[in-house]
Amino acid sequence: MNCRHFGKTGQERAHRGYQMAEINRILVTGGAGFLGSHMCERFVKEGHDVICLDNFFTSQKSNVAHLLDCPNFELIRHDVTLPIFLEVDQIYHLACPAAPGHYQFNPIKTIKTSVVGSINALGIAKRCAAKILLASTSEVYGDPEVHPQPESYRGNVNPIGPRACYDEGKRAAETLFMDYHRMNQVNVRIVRIFNTYGPRMHPYDGRVVSNFIRQALTGKDITIFGDGSQTRAFCYRDDLVEGIIRMMNGPDDFVGPVNIGNPGEFTIRELAELVIELTGAQVKLVQRPLPADDPTRRRPDIALAKKHLDWQPTVTLREGLAKTIQWFQSIDLSHYRPPTPNFV
Ligand code: NAD
Ligand code: UDP
């Protein structure tokens, strides 16, 4: 990435007429991950001073390697469950394993990451009077009895099931964000992200889009869990990143939670058929047991995002999958490894 002109101070950059309203010091926790790396990239390009904090549990340095030479980018290897002192203006708090296989790898660590990690991130926000955004999830709705899911729906989560470490962790994180907001006047934002896919997602994260594309491209059978009639609504990463940034920079009286996702709803079988069509793969669909507590349907109600952020997705599943497949074709799968064992 060409970042020659980013070595200036904020004042110098502003003086030289760069197209920026304001230069911020931005911390992205989980910044080396799938979504975090795209956020870092965008902020570096915009000329902000970016700190990417990550312990590389579900990611690798290669996701941000192209930013390392930029003077306005800094990479810190750190576990968000441990305190850290940094001076920043905005915090995008993304650090947390997101794929079921990743977050169930060490469930205790997952809930610690959500709860203790959020307390640490909120502590920085409080001390620096920084604005802070939580990457929450549609999983707070559990296996929803209301469809599509509006933010007012309080969810149907099994608190003792295998997904609870993630679902309840994020629910507790939302609670912490609102309590820091009410008690300490921290300027918070909460975004509930629905299934998002795109280039740089971990090819072995076990999520449905990465599994199906990898299986199709390597000539393996496509694994449908259950009968494939369960639904998800898939959002392309560019749409998602735009929605998150609009939320961070939106009006202070709209703290959320807000759903950010694509309301186009597909069965898992339909997704498999589309991946086969787009890759031209000669592969079969095979059924595997449905994991416990797998939500039967999911689709965001995005009325709030439209109203307050003037945001809605623009990339169709067909377009987004085509771009994602192209990226999968360009990578060397042997460069990716499963999550690092982490028993802290
Ligand atoms: P990801 O796994 O690619 O990124 C998460 C990043 O957090 C990784 O780089 C990982 O190494 C880092 N991390 C994990 N534990 C950490 C710790 N203790 N300390 C420091 N870093 C840590 O996943 P993603 O899809 O980019 O998700 C980013 C955020 O968005 C997560 O908080 C996730 O819960 C949320 N989210 C994502 C989706 C989605 O579909 N991608 C859906 C809902 C919510
Ligand atoms: N799934 C599947 N085959 C796979 C991986 C996932 O059929 O190889 C299903 C899974 O059971 C779920 C849906 O696809 O119903 C989405 O799974 P994912 O792990 O991507 O995310 P979730 O939305 O469940 O967190």
Side-chain angles (χ1 to χ4, degrees), residues 262-281:
N262 190 320
E265 185 180 0
F266 295 83
T267 67
I268 294 306
R269 191 168 283 274
E270 285 171 336
L271 175 73
E273 284 160 359
L274 189 52
V275 169
I276 291 177
E277 182 199 321
L278 292 172
T279 53

PDB file of all heavy atoms in Angstrom, residues 262-281:
ATOM      1  N   ASN A 262     -27.512  -7.553   6.126  1.00  0.00           N
ATOM      2  CA  ASN A 262     -28.243  -7.530   4.860  1.00  0.00           C
ATOM      3  C   ASN A 262     -29.548  -8.298   5.046  1.00  0.00           C
ATOM      4  O   ASN A 262     -29.516  -9.464   5.424  1.00  0.00           O
ATOM      5  CB  ASN A 262     -27.388  -8.178   3.770  1.00  0.00           C
ATOM      6  CG  ASN A 262     -27.973  -7.971   2.391  1.00  0.00           C
ATOM      7  OD1 ASN A 262     -29.178  -8.038   2.205  1.00  0.00           O
ATOM      8  ND2 ASN A 262     -27.104  -7.699   1.433  1.00  0.00           N
ATOM      9  N   PRO A 263     -30.699  -7.657   4.796  1.00  0.00           N
ATOM     10  CA  PRO A 263     -31.958  -8.349   5.050  1.00  0.00           C
ATOM     11  C   PRO A 263     -32.296  -9.455   4.042  1.00  0.00           C
ATOM     12  O   PRO A 263     -33.284 -10.157   4.217  1.00  0.00           O
ATOM     13  CB  PRO A 263     -33.003  -7.235   4.992  1.00  0.00           C
ATOM     14  CG  PRO A 263     -32.310  -5.999   4.581  1.00  0.00           C
ATOM     15  CD  PRO A 263     -30.869  -6.264   4.383  1.00  0.00           C
ATOM     16  N   GLY A 264     -31.488  -9.640   3.020  1.00  0.00           N
ATOM     17  CA  GLY A 264     -31.740 -10.732   2.061  1.00  0.00           C
ATOM     18  C   GLY A 264     -31.538 -12.067   2.768  1.00  0.00           C
ATOM     19  O   GLY A 264     -30.441 -12.360   3.229  1.00  0.00           O
ATOM     20  N   GLU A 265     -32.609 -12.868   2.844  1.00  0.00           N
ATOM     21  CA  GLU A 265     -32.547 -14.107   3.637  1.00  0.00           C
ATOM     22  C   GLU A 265     -32.475 -15.329   2.722  1.00  0.00           C
ATOM     23  O   GLU A 265     -33.229 -15.419   1.754  1.00  0.00           O
ATOM     24  CB  GLU A 265     -33.802 -14.174   4.522  1.00  0.00           C
ATOM     25  CG  GLU A 265     -33.831 -15.331   5.482  1.00  0.00           C
ATOM     26  CD  GLU A 265     -35.120 -15.332   6.318  1.00  0.00           C
ATOM     27  OE1 GLU A 265     -35.970 -14.430   6.129  1.00  0.00           O
ATOM     28  OE2 GLU A 265     -35.273 -16.246   7.137  1.00  0.00           O
ATOM     29  N   PHE A 266     -31.557 -16.234   3.016  1.00  0.00           N
ATOM     30  CA  PHE A 266     -31.354 -17.432   2.187  1.00  0.00           C
ATOM     31  C   PHE A 266     -31.307 -18.664   3.073  1.00  0.00           C
ATOM     32  O   PHE A 266     -30.775 -18.624   4.187  1.00  0.00           O
ATOM     33  CB  PHE A 266     -30.020 -17.334   1.425  1.00  0.00           C
ATOM     34  CG  PHE A 266     -29.989 -16.217   0.424  1.00  0.00           C
ATOM     35  CD1 PHE A 266     -29.690 -14.917   0.821  1.00  0.00           C
ATOM     36  CD2 PHE A 266     -30.289 -16.451  -0.918  1.00  0.00           C
ATOM     37  CE1 PHE A 266     -29.679 -13.868  -0.090  1.00  0.00           C
ATOM     38  CE2 PHE A 266     -30.284 -15.403  -1.832  1.00  0.00           C
ATOM     39  CZ  PHE A 266     -29.972 -14.114  -1.425  1.00  0.00           C
ATOM     40  N   THR A 267     -31.800 -19.795   2.548  1.00  0.00           N
ATOM     41  CA  THR A 267     -31.573 -21.039   3.276  1.00  0.00           C
ATOM     42  C   THR A 267     -30.117 -21.448   3.026  1.00  0.00           C
ATOM     43  O   THR A 267     -29.490 -21.019   2.035  1.00  0.00           O
ATOM     44  CB  THR A 267     -32.492 -22.181   2.803  1.00  0.00           C
ATOM     45  OG1 THR A 267     -32.135 -22.518   1.467  1.00  0.00           O
ATOM     46  CG2 THR A 267     -33.965 -21.800   2.894  1.00  0.00           C
ATOM     47  N   ILE A 268     -29.617 -22.296   3.912  1.00  0.00           N
ATOM     48  CA  ILE A 268     -28.230 -22.753   3.766  1.00  0.00           C
ATOM     49  C   ILE A 268     -28.095 -23.599   2.495  1.00  0.00           C
ATOM     50  O   ILE A 268     -27.074 -23.547   1.800  1.00  0.00           O
ATOM     51  CB  ILE A 268     -27.817 -23.510   5.044  1.00  0.00           C
ATOM     52  CG1 ILE A 268     -27.773 -22.531   6.236  1.00  0.00           C
ATOM     53  CG2 ILE A 268     -26.489 -24.236   4.860  1.00  0.00           C
ATOM     54  CD1 ILE A 268     -26.918 -21.293   6.056  1.00  0.00           C
ATOM     55  N   ARG A 269     -29.151 -24.307   2.149  1.00  0.00           N
ATOM     56  CA  ARG A 269     -29.127 -25.085   0.903  1.00  0.00           C
ATOM     57  C   ARG A 269     -29.036 -24.150  -0.317  1.00  0.00           C
ATOM     58  O   ARG A 269     -28.274 -24.403  -1.253  1.00  0.00           O
ATOM     59  CB  ARG A 269     -30.381 -25.964   0.837  1.00  0.00           C
ATOM     60  CG  ARG A 269     -30.361 -27.003  -0.257  1.00  0.00           C
ATOM     61  CD  ARG A 269     -31.490 -27.995  -0.075  1.00  0.00           C
ATOM     62  NE  ARG A 269     -31.194 -28.961   0.983  1.00  0.00           N
ATOM     63  CZ  ARG A 269     -30.507 -30.080   0.787  1.00  0.00           C
ATOM     64  NH1 ARG A 269     -30.053 -30.380  -0.406  1.00  0.00           N
ATOM     65  NH2 ARG A 269     -30.272 -30.907   1.785  1.00  0.00           N
ATOM     66  N   GLU A 270     -29.772 -23.049  -0.276  1.00  0.00           N
ATOM     67  CA  GLU A 270     -29.702 -22.078  -1.395  1.00  0.00           C
ATOM     68  C   GLU A 270     -28.285 -21.508  -1.511  1.00  0.00           C
ATOM     69  O   GLU A 270     -27.762 -21.326  -2.618  1.00  0.00           O
ATOM     70  CB  GLU A 270     -30.692 -20.929  -1.166  1.00  0.00           C
ATOM     71  CG  GLU A 270     -32.128 -21.293  -1.427  1.00  0.00           C
ATOM     72  CD  GLU A 270     -33.126 -20.215  -0.986  1.00  0.00           C
ATOM     73  OE1 GLU A 270     -32.817 -19.393  -0.091  1.00  0.00           O
ATOM     74  OE2 GLU A 270     -34.240 -20.217  -1.526  1.00  0.00           O
ATOM     75  N   LEU A 271     -27.671 -21.244  -0.358  1.00  0.00           N
ATOM     76  CA  LEU A 271     -26.299 -20.722  -0.379  1.00  0.00           C
ATOM     77  C   LEU A 271     -25.361 -21.743  -1.044  1.00  0.00           C
ATOM     78  O   LEU A 271     -24.539 -21.383  -1.890  1.00  0.00           O
ATOM     79  CB  LEU A 271     -25.827 -20.427   1.050  1.00  0.00           C
ATOM     80  CG  LEU A 271     -24.372 -19.993   1.161  1.00  0.00           C
ATOM     81  CD1 LEU A 271     -24.177 -18.567   0.649  1.00  0.00           C
ATOM     82  CD2 LEU A 271     -23.868 -20.079   2.612  1.00  0.00           C
ATOM     83  N   ALA A 272     -25.516 -23.014  -0.659  1.00  0.00           N
ATOM     84  CA  ALA A 272     -24.654 -24.061  -1.216  1.00  0.00           C
ATOM     85  C   ALA A 272     -24.824 -24.129  -2.737  1.00  0.00           C
ATOM     86  O   ALA A 272     -23.843 -24.215  -3.493  1.00  0.00           O
ATOM     87  CB  ALA A 272     -25.001 -25.400  -0.577  1.00  0.00           C
ATOM     88  N   GLU A 273     -26.071 -24.050  -3.188  1.00  0.00           N
ATOM     89  CA  GLU A 273     -26.323 -24.141  -4.628  1.00  0.00           C
ATOM     90  C   GLU A 273     -25.715 -22.950  -5.381  1.00  0.00           C
ATOM     91  O   GLU A 273     -25.173 -23.100  -6.472  1.00  0.00           O
ATOM     92  CB  GLU A 273     -27.832 -24.267  -4.884  1.00  0.00           C
ATOM     93  CG  GLU A 273     -28.314 -25.677  -4.571  1.00  0.00           C
ATOM     94  CD  GLU A 273     -29.825 -25.791  -4.323  1.00  0.00           C
ATOM     95  OE1 GLU A 273     -30.520 -24.754  -4.376  1.00  0.00           O
ATOM     96  OE2 GLU A 273     -30.279 -26.928  -4.050  1.00  0.00           O
ATOM     97  N   LEU A 274     -25.775 -21.779  -4.756  1.00  0.00           N
ATOM     98  CA  LEU A 274     -25.196 -20.589  -5.397  1.00  0.00           C
ATOM     99  C   LEU A 274     -23.669 -20.700  -5.470  1.00  0.00           C
ATOM    100  O   LEU A 274     -23.049 -20.336  -6.482  1.00  0.00           O
ATOM    101  CB  LEU A 274     -25.630 -19.340  -4.606  1.00  0.00           C
ATOM    102  CG  LEU A 274     -25.310 -17.987  -5.219  1.00  0.00           C
ATOM    103  CD1 LEU A 274     -25.807 -17.862  -6.660  1.00  0.00           C
ATOM    104  CD2 LEU A 274     -25.945 -16.871  -4.364  1.00  0.00           C
ATOM    105  N   VAL A 275     -23.053 -21.204  -4.403  1.00  0.00           N
ATOM    106  CA  VAL A 275     -21.586 -21.366  -4.416  1.00  0.00           C
ATOM    107  C   VAL A 275     -21.189 -22.370  -5.514  1.00  0.00           C
ATOM    108  O   VAL A 275     -20.230 -22.139  -6.267  1.00  0.00           O
ATOM    109  CB  VAL A 275     -21.073 -21.829  -3.026  1.00  0.00           C
ATOM    110  CG1 VAL A 275     -19.615 -22.267  -3.095  1.00  0.00           C
ATOM    111  CG2 VAL A 275     -21.233 -20.708  -2.005  1.00  0.00           C
ATOM    112  N   ILE A 276     -21.955 -23.442  -5.657  1.00  0.00           N
ATOM    113  CA  ILE A 276     -21.643 -24.436  -6.697  1.00  0.00           C
ATOM    114  C   ILE A 276     -21.782 -23.794  -8.078  1.00  0.00           C
ATOM    115  O   ILE A 276     -20.919 -23.947  -8.947  1.00  0.00           O
ATOM    116  CB  ILE A 276     -22.559 -25.673  -6.547  1.00  0.00           C
ATOM    117  CG1 ILE A 276     -22.174 -26.430  -5.278  1.00  0.00           C
ATOM    118  CG2 ILE A 276     -22.462 -26.579  -7.771  1.00  0.00           C
ATOM    119  CD1 ILE A 276     -23.034 -27.636  -4.975  1.00  0.00           C
ATOM    120  N   GLU A 277     -22.849 -23.016  -8.252  1.00  0.00           N
ATOM    121  CA  GLU A 277     -23.059 -22.362  -9.560  1.00  0.00           C
ATOM    122  C   GLU A 277     -21.908 -21.396  -9.875  1.00  0.00           C
ATOM    123  O   GLU A 277     -21.346 -21.413 -10.968  1.00  0.00           O
ATOM    124  CB  GLU A 277     -24.397 -21.598  -9.525  1.00  0.00           C
ATOM    125  CG  GLU A 277     -24.723 -20.924 -10.847  1.00  0.00           C
ATOM    126  CD  GLU A 277     -25.778 -19.819 -10.674  1.00  0.00           C
ATOM    127  OE1 GLU A 277     -26.733 -19.989  -9.893  1.00  0.00           O
ATOM    128  OE2 GLU A 277     -25.605 -18.760 -11.340  1.00  0.00           O
ATOM    129  N   LEU A 278     -21.517 -20.590  -8.899  1.00  0.00           N
ATOM    130  CA  LEU A 278     -20.506 -19.552  -9.152  1.00  0.00           C
ATOM    131  C   LEU A 278     -19.092 -20.131  -9.307  1.00  0.00           C
ATOM    132  O   LEU A 278     -18.247 -19.525  -9.971  1.00  0.00           O
ATOM    133  CB  LEU A 278     -20.518 -18.503  -8.036  1.00  0.00           C
ATOM    134  CG  LEU A 278     -21.782 -17.632  -7.975  1.00  0.00           C
ATOM    135  CD1 LEU A 278     -21.787 -16.764  -6.725  1.00  0.00           C
ATOM    136  CD2 LEU A 278     -21.887 -16.749  -9.212  1.00  0.00           C
ATOM    137  N   THR A 279     -18.829 -21.255  -8.659  1.00  0.00           N
ATOM    138  CA  THR A 279     -17.482 -21.847  -8.778  1.00  0.00           C
ATOM    139  C   THR A 279     -17.424 -22.844  -9.936  1.00  0.00           C
ATOM    140  O   THR A 279     -16.336 -23.225 -10.370  1.00  0.00           O
ATOM    141  CB  THR A 279     -17.076 -22.603  -7.487  1.00  0.00           C
ATOM    142  OG1 THR A 279     -18.118 -23.535  -7.161  1.00  0.00           O
ATOM    143  CG2 THR A 279     -16.846 -21.671  -6.321  1.00  0.00           C
ATOM    144  N   GLY A 280     -18.604 -23.286 -10.393  1.00  0.00           N
ATOM    145  CA  GLY A 280     -18.638 -24.323 -11.438  1.00  0.00           C
ATOM    146  C   GLY A 280     -18.106 -25.653 -10.933  1.00  0.00           C
ATOM    147  O   GLY A 280     -17.683 -26.507 -11.724  1.00  0.00           O
ATOM    148  N   ALA A 281     -18.143 -25.851  -9.609  1.00  0.00           N
ATOM    149  CA  ALA A 281     -17.561 -27.074  -9.029  1.00  0.00           C
ATOM    150  C   ALA A 281     -18.467 -28.282  -9.280  1.00  0.00           C
ATOM    151  O   ALA A 281     -19.689 -28.153  -9.315  1.00  0.00           O
ATOM    152  CB  ALA A 281     -17.370 -26.883  -7.524  1.00  0.00           C
TER     153      ALA A 281
END
